[in-house]
Amino acid sequence: MKRLLMLLLIISGACQENRPEKVSQSKSSYHPTKKVILEGLNHPWSIAFLSQDEALITEKDGTLLKVNLKSKIRTVVKGFPEDLTDSIRAYNLGDNSGIFEVLLDPQHEKNQWVYFSYAAKRKGEGRTTKIVRAKLTQDSLYGHETLLEAEPFTREYFHFGGGMTFGTDGKLYITIGERLFWERDNPPIPIAQDITDRRGKIYRINPDGSIPEDNPDYGPSAVAGIYAVGIRAAQGITVEPKTGNIWFSEHGTIQGDEINLLKAGANYGWPNVTSGKLRSNDYTPPKLEGANFTPPVWFWPHTVAPTGLTFYTGDDFPNWKDNLIVPGLSRGSLWRFRIENDTVKSAEELFIDDRVRIRKARQSPSGKLYILTDEDNGKLIQILPQ
Amino acid sequence: MKRLLMLLLIISGACQENRPEKVSQSKSSYHPTKKVILEGLNHPWSIAFLSQDEALITEKDGTLLKVNLKSKIRTVVKGFPEDLTDSIRAYNLGDNSGIFEVLLDPQHEKNQWVYFSYAAKRKGEGRTTKIVRAKLTQDSLYGHETLLEAEPFTREYFHFGGGMTFGTDGKLYITIGERLFWERDNPPIPIAQDITDRRGKIYRINPDGSIPEDNPDYGPSAVAGIYAVGIRAAQGITVEPKTGNIWFSEHGTIQGDEINLLKAGANYGWPNVTSGKLRSNDYTPPKLEGANFTPPVWFWPHTVAPTGLTFYTGDDFPNWKDNLIVPGLSRGSLWRFRIENDTVKSAEELFIDDRVRIRKARQSPSGKLYILTDEDNGKLIQILPQ
């Protein structure tokens, strides 16, 4: 009889193993909702998770914060570079200056390196996009190293770019905008097509700022570190975990908002080709001999202003696995793309009835999905299943 | 020992009950694919399932077919009305004439009634949309009854409408197009706004063609059966099973493609208001005193040409439950809308890499999803989980 009882216990235990599947089965048809985690952020641009509950947040029009998602305590991190340009929020136009990306070194726990992009000023010259890394201990930065300055410094206020991601190859990939608002302001060789000009390019550098030997060769006249050209205003860049591919978003002028797959040495065409229209009717791009343009994988027939995109690998939404999540500033909704290899299979616009300017989508270490809203009262919002 | 064995069998049986859940759990993240069931259809317009394996299919440029989805055997149904207009496919423009909707009576098994809409001709006058019902026995129609003729008969070839659905109230709802291609051809009172003209309206009638007493009252001068006005070119109309609400799709001119929620006595605005632009720059709609226009629930910022929509209630795609499925002719993709009450929560464009002109989406009695493609070699395609 004892044997029988033990046997029963073993078998009933085996039965119970199926229960979790029951739960995840019902979860599969859950729909996304928003839960506000933090408010009162000053146009937050990016977030880097130090742990599941602690993160660094950059405020475009503010400062660098260390926040605790549970206690809600926020601390200003000391030692942010002092050449951060003065706020030009008054202009309130386009992709204006401030603090942009924040990224942890893949080895951050060992080496404490944190990477920033921001609009730096230089007296008498103007401003441009600058990439700096520094070590973070407690709530302070030290040991700053400048990795890239997208010279020249100019008076323009727009299209700094500043998106950054580490590739699976351990290299740092950086988007630098063309900095113009009107393409008619381009010199004879358009900025984004001129390999002697640092603007309007995507860069690939080593974490210490040195140039990888296996970068594409643009010749002796080219500025160092160029990985791709023909960029107008790319802010979002991210790695696809399943493939190691790198994807980036691009703002067009009149339409022309795009999702692109990054390829070494590629030319994404701006301003010579665009999936939208040029803003200047009085501008005709010069003929570029032998140029070979790479088309976008996706473009919208309407304005979206896609920004800080990320791939979703969490468990909350089983049918979103490995999908690309793309936030929009304009129109203000969140997009989900199912992509196989380099083909878009489906595109879903989410939160149509609850639109807000979204700057960034990011996943926490445990695979929870968060977004940052581009508002005076900016928010960190978690996307949860209903 | 015998008791023990029996006990084991019982318990192991109980364990196995969980296996189906395992399956549906993994299914939840499956993605849609297409399986061609029938080919060689002549621009099919609609399908009505007689059973899971047998259906009636209308070919816009052909005839009425009875098809077996398993044996693939197709039979031409005899006795289709002889005043079907001659094909004007040669013009190959807009929503041209032919056979449109086919619908079974809710009591079809008892009374054999089948309902059709098609473009009928009248010698010397032209053509218009006509609604007929007839009894189906074997492969023949008999006992024809004319339920509605959208007079006047005219020479125009476009925008017949012809969408039909039975409401949960047992009434027959019918969309009749405005029949114009250029809105500048409208008379002083636009056709779709003129309650003395049958065109450009949505009708609600009893299955025998008589007018329900609880229809909205448009006064003595109005044609019989009007339920809503201000319609341009609505083809798709369907019931939302969860609520009993009726939804219809509408073609705009330059953009202006819409999804609308049907309300008794509503005015959907054409040509006085549209979510798109008028095709004629030289046309200004007349001021309509006291008109109260109902806006669409959804409109696209680009052209889609939405047609035969349906709500999905099947089990193949758990996360699509109760979603609205909308096929598009132009752009050629399939759209999925998650709607709560009268609010669109999300919109997904499916089969982006496999576009084809789609005329109709329909569910079989067992909840399988099918589409009809608007091609010379038209297809019946089942949408299956990968």
Side-chain angles (χ1 to χ4, degrees), chain B residues 282-330:
Chain B
D282 56 354
Y283 175 72
T284 306
K287 191 137 185 54
L288 298 174
E289 287 310 324
N292 177 17
F293 302 119
T294 299
V297 172
W298 171 267
F299 68 92
W300 285 266
H302 50 75
T303 298
V304 166
T307 53
L309 69 189
T310 193
F311 279 87
Y312 178 75
T313 60
D315 299 324
D316 287 341
F317 303 99
N319 52 308
W320 290 14
K321 207 76 168 177
D322 300 320
N323 287 183
L324 179 61
I325 307 296
V326 184
L329 289 168
S330 162

Side-chain angles (χ1 to χ4, degrees), chain B residues 198-210:
Chain B
R198 291 191 180 279
R199 298 167 293 174
K201 313 294 185 304
I202 290 178
Y203 291 85
R204 178 176 181 259
I205 64 175
N206 294 312
D208 64 0
S210 63

Side-chain angles (χ1 to χ4, degrees), chain A residues 127-159:
Chain A
R127 57 193 67 81
T128 195
T129 317
K130 189 169 178 178
I131 314 299
V132 168
R133 73 170 179 176
K135 296 204 174 210
L136 176 74
T137 52
Q138 309 298 345
D139 304 330
S140 296
L141 299 170
Y142 71 97
H144 299 58
E145 294 179 359
T146 295
L147 306 182
L148 179 68
E149 272 182 316
E151 293 172 302
F153 285 65
T154 71
R155 302 287 175 194
E156 278 88 11
Y157 308 110
F158 310 110
H159 304 158

Side-chain angles (χ1 to χ4, degrees), chain A residues 105-113 135-136 142:
Chain A
D105 190 288
Q107 308 296 319
H108 175 75
E109 286 184 10
K110 288 184 196 150
N111 62 26
Q112 293 88 49
W113 283 120
K135 296 204 174 210
L136 176 74
Y142 71 97

Side-chain angles (χ1 to χ4, degrees), chain A residues 1 3-4 7-8 11-12 14-16 18-19 21-22 24-25 28-32 298-299 301-302 318-321 323 331 335-338 340 343-353 355 386, chain B residues 1 3-4 7-8 11-12 14-15 18-19 21-22 24-26 28-32 298-299 301-302 318-321 323 331 335-338 340 343-353 355 386:
Chain A
M1 197 58 194
R3 254 203 282 121
L4 171 55
L7 197 50
L8 282 175
I11 294 165
S12 63
C15 289
Q16 292 187 7
N18 277 332
R19 286 197 187 149
E21 276 149 13
K22 260 179 158 170
S24 55
Q25 190 270 336
S28 68
S29 57
Y30 279 14
H31 301 300
W298 170 267
F299 67 93
H302 50 75
N319 52 309
W320 290 14
K321 206 80 170 176
N323 287 183
R331 197 173 163 99
W335 294 78
R336 177 180 68 86
F337 291 90
R338 188 163 73 83
E340 280 179 19
T343 302
V344 173
K345 297 293 215 175
S346 68
E348 182 173 24
E349 185 179 10
L350 299 157
F351 299 112
I352 285 166
D353 62 326
R355 291 192 165 123
Q386 223 168 46
Chain B
M1 197 56 190
R3 253 204 283 117
L4 171 54
L7 200 51
L8 279 174
I11 293 163
S12 63
C15 288
N18 278 332
R19 284 194 189 154
E21 276 148 11
K22 259 180 156 172
S24 57
Q25 188 272 334
S26 54
S28 68
S29 58
Y30 279 16
H31 301 300
W298 171 267
F299 68 92
H302 50 75
N319 52 308
W320 290 14
K321 207 76 168 177
N323 287 183
R331 197 174 165 100
W335 295 78
R336 178 180 68 87
F337 292 90
R338 188 164 73 84
E340 281 180 17
T343 303
V344 173
K345 297 293 220 176
S346 67
E348 182 173 25
E349 186 179 10
L350 300 158
F351 300 112
I352 285 166
D353 62 326
R355 291 193 165 120
Q386 225 169 43

Side-chain angles (χ1 to χ4, degrees), chain B residues 220-231:
Chain B
S221 66
V223 295
I226 297 181
Y227 193 72
V229 305
I231 304 301

